[in-house]
Amino acid sequence: MAAETGKSPSVDWKRILFILLGFGLFLLIYYSPPWKEAVDPTGKAFPLTREGKASIALFLMAGIWWVFEVVPIGVTSLAIGVMQSLFAIRPAKEAFRDFMDPSVMFIFGSVVIGLAFTKTGLTRRIAYKMLQIVGERTSVIVLGSLVLTAGLAHFMAHTAAAATVFPILLAINHLYGEGDRPTKFGKALFIGMAYAAGAGSIVTFLGAARSPAAAGMFKEFTGVDIAFFDIPKYMFLVGWAMVLIIWAYLMLVLKPEKERIYGLRETVQELHSELGPMSRDEKFVILCLILVVIGMGLQSFVPSLKEWDRAAIMLVSTLLFFLFRVLTIKELEDVPWNIILLFSGAMSIGFCLWKTGAAQWMAVNWLALFQKAHWMVFVLAIAFFVLLMTNFIMNVAAIAISLPVSLVTAKYLGVAPEVILYSSLVVAGMPFLLLIGAAPNAIAYESRQFTTGEFFKHGIPMSIILMVVLAGAVAFLWPLLGMPILLGN
């Protein structure tokens, strides 16, 4: 067409600028002189190796490319593996092995559950039932969607909750009547889903791997055991306060274009009646999901089951769906591989920062700035570091990096270890800035209702709000619930 009109295709200079900015920053840091070692409060030194400095450079390049989406997000992930190999940061065998980490397979299994819900018609059945309850007001529909997502994330991994709710929200968005065109209603639905999944996941041990992993580390460092009901005791009000705040924020900045979807209730009742009774496949999918949730839940109570990997439990459902022909090769081809690659790359850069010592070097340098600060400033500084890191690497890794250093420093300031643990868990569950911060963020992106830049833009005020809510919990809520805040109190 360009040849016929005599016009050459326009050059996307903005895209080229951010490609060069990311790669240029990588080269600048990679070839810079050695950086100063970090020193913790006990005087222990943490030198930054050449590989560690290079991993920080790659970390920043990937962040720029992901935020500005200069290439498909899955392709940026491939670049992470390629750059590690070409610049001798880590051997290719290690860099690309992380692309098939069990956590990535867990996300794959969660996505397949969502596909099974869609294929069997369960998504439409649940969507219609929910809409019959919440009615026609778009603001209440968004609230109902957030409550459903957060509630599911109490009892299953937030990835599985998001994968389950996602096709339901697609069906709801279709009823809005604007097709696939991005709308404020669509943005609120899917960004809200991602945020609410994180908020709901902090409330119980079942919401994500981070809580049981952090509790295990905490017991190893302090000798104190975190009981199953300790997490909801301190996290329930914080998690649900964030769900309501998320809804209020979205209704303020992304207020739906239509106040009501007129005639929705009658339309939904008619559509629901057309579905007829629940099919065998629908019942089978529900049964498989229940078995997966029970399997993960039992791991918290039955010591012998802790050896089971969560990814293996999740993938049992995938195997059953194909063995019993609920899904076919068609659905396998519909898997959003761009999102799977996104998390593969996130795992790779996370392990790269961790294994080269770069993440620990950053944690020690950051916390050293606050070792003589007021105890509240110190607690919030730890939380802020975890919040930033969990947007780029596994939240379990972010906690594992910061917890040992922060617990050592906390003793000097008279801060109780429990407040360090719970503060870290709150922010680790809600990475609002980047898609790679959590699987629900990436799943929501598949709706094509928002860009990575829009997600980042809304994530900034929401992250600030999260820090304010956390400060309120530390200062007022948790002491009322009996949590020790300062040693000796």
Side-chain angles (χ1 to χ4, degrees):
M1 188 70 181
E4 293 175 9
T5 60
K7 295 180 181 180
S8 59
S10 59
V11 178
D12 189 345
W13 291 109
K14 182 179 177 181
R15 174 176 174 271
I16 294 173
L17 171 64
F18 285 113
I19 290 174
L20 294 177
L21 176 63
F23 188 63
L25 185 60
F26 170 82
L27 293 176
L28 180 65
I29 296 175
Y30 183 83
Y31 288 109
S32 65
W35 291 2
K36 186 180 178 181
E37 63 187 14
V39 181
D40 72 9
T42 66
K44 183 180 178 181
F46 294 84
L48 183 65
T49 64
R50 182 194 69 82
E51 292 81 8
K53 182 160 66 72
S55 68
I56 293 175
L58 182 57
F59 170 64
L60 293 174
M61 186 195 86
I64 291 172
W65 285 14
W66 268 323
V67 169
F68 296 100
E69 207 170 353
V70 296
V71 291
I73 52 180
V75 176
T76 296
S77 294
L78 291 176
I80 288 172
V82 171
M83 297 287 279
Q84 286 181 64
S85 176
L86 292 181
F87 286 86
I89 303 173
R90 282 200 303 165
K93 186 176 181 180
E94 291 184 22
F96 287 107
R97 182 173 57 206
D98 298 336
F99 277 62
M100 293 297 287
D101 185 83
S103 296
V104 177
M105 290 295 97
F106 181 88
I107 292 166
F108 170 77
S110 299
V111 170
V112 172
I113 285 179
L115 291 175
F117 266 66
T118 302
K119 168 74 179 298
T120 59
L122 268 173
T123 55
R124 286 179 295 153
R125 191 178 295 277
I126 297 173
Y128 299 157
K129 193 66 179 177
M130 189 191 87
L131 290 172
Q132 285 178 338
I133 296 171
V134 301
E136 299 180 343
R137 292 181 64 87
T138 50
S139 59
V140 181
I141 291 172
V142 173
L143 178 60
S145 301
L146 302 192
V147 169
L148 175 62
T149 306
L152 285 175
H154 290 358
F155 305 103
M156 64 175 77
H158 66 334
T159 304
T164 302
V165 173
F166 178 73
I168 297 172
L169 299 192
L170 285 178
I172 292 173
N173 192 52
H174 178 73
L175 293 171
Y176 191 63
E178 298 296 327
D180 295 329
R181 186 176 69 85
T183 62
K184 288 184 178 180
F185 177 71
K187 295 178 195 297
L189 268 185
F190 291 100
I191 293 177
M193 180 203 80
Y195 289 173
S201 73
I202 72 170
V203 175
T204 71
F205 267 121
L206 304 178
R210 79 183 83 87
S211 294
M217 286 184 278
F218 187 76
K219 184 176 182 180
E220 184 178 337
F221 298 146
T222 65
V224 178
D225 192 19
I226 303 298
F228 184 80
F229 291 105
D230 285 343
I231 294 289
K233 176 182 177 181
Y234 296 118
M235 298 296 219
F236 182 87
L237 289 176
V238 176
W240 280 101
M242 282 305 302
V243 172
L244 295 177
I245 290 171
I246 289 164
W247 174 71
Y249 171 83
L250 293 172
M251 291 303 96
L252 180 66
V253 302
L254 291 172
K255 186 177 180 180
E257 298 86 349
K258 303 174 185 177
E259 185 177 345
R260 290 178 176 272
I261 307 177
Y262 290 101
L264 178 65
R265 192 182 295 275
E266 292 76 14
T267 301
V268 165
Q269 287 176 344
E270 184 178 333
L271 291 170
H272 188 267
S273 63
E274 289 176 1
L275 291 176
M278 191 174 288
S279 68
R280 181 193 68 87
D281 284 351
E282 288 177 281
K283 294 176 182 177
F284 184 77
V285 170
I286 292 174
L287 176 63
C288 288
L289 181 59
I290 290 172
L291 291 175
V292 167
V293 173
I294 290 174
M296 293 183 185
L298 287 175
Q299 286 186 299
S300 301
F301 301 100
V302 184
S304 60
L305 298 184
K306 290 185 178 180
E307 298 300 319
W308 289 4
D309 190 275
R310 292 189 318 135
I313 297 174
M314 180 63 74
L315 290 173
V316 166
S317 62
T318 299
L319 293 174
L320 291 173
F321 293 153
F322 285 96
L323 285 172
F324 287 87
R325 296 184 177 179
V326 174
L327 298 179
T328 65
I329 188 65
K330 166 78 167 55
E331 285 70 45
L332 192 60
E333 292 171 348
D334 290 338
V335 170
W337 293 106
N338 190 42
I339 299 303
I340 304 301
L341 279 175
L342 166 67
F343 271 89
S344 297
M347 293 298 295
S348 186
I349 189 62
F351 279 120
C352 184
L353 287 166
W354 195 355
K355 292 182 179 180
T356 60
Q360 192 171 31
W361 179 87
M362 288 190 287
V364 173
N365 266 323
W366 174 253
L367 294 179
L369 298 174
F370 302 95
Q371 59 185 346
K372 295 183 180 180
H374 184 272
W375 68 267
M376 176 63 87
V377 174
F378 173 70
V379 171
L380 294 180
I382 292 167
F384 185 69
F385 176 80
V386 174
L387 177 63
L388 287 181
M389 291 300 291
T390 201
N391 274 281
F392 286 93
I393 66 175
M394 299 173 297
N395 45 43
V396 174
I399 292 173
I401 290 161
S402 65
L403 201 57
V405 180
S406 57
L407 288 176
V408 169
T409 309
K411 292 179 183 178
Y412 290 88
L413 298 175
V415 178
E418 286 81 359
V419 73
I420 302 296
L421 172 69
Y422 285 99
S423 297
S424 299
L425 285 175
V426 166
V427 294
M430 288 180 264
F432 293 146
L433 295 171
L434 300 179
L435 297 184
I436 61 169
N441 300 359
I443 291 171
Y445 176 75
E446 276 299 295
S447 68
R448 302 301 178 194
Q449 286 291 314
F450 60 89
T451 66
T452 54
E454 287 176 316
F455 193 84
F456 183 80
K457 180 182 73 174
H458 293 298
I460 293 174
M462 283 309 306
S463 296
I464 294 171
I465 291 170
L466 174 60
M467 292 297 296
V468 172
V469 170
L470 175 61
V474 173
F476 306 108
L477 176 62
W478 289 344
L480 286 175
L481 295 174
M483 180 189 294
I485 303 298
L486 299 176
L487 295 174
N489 285 5

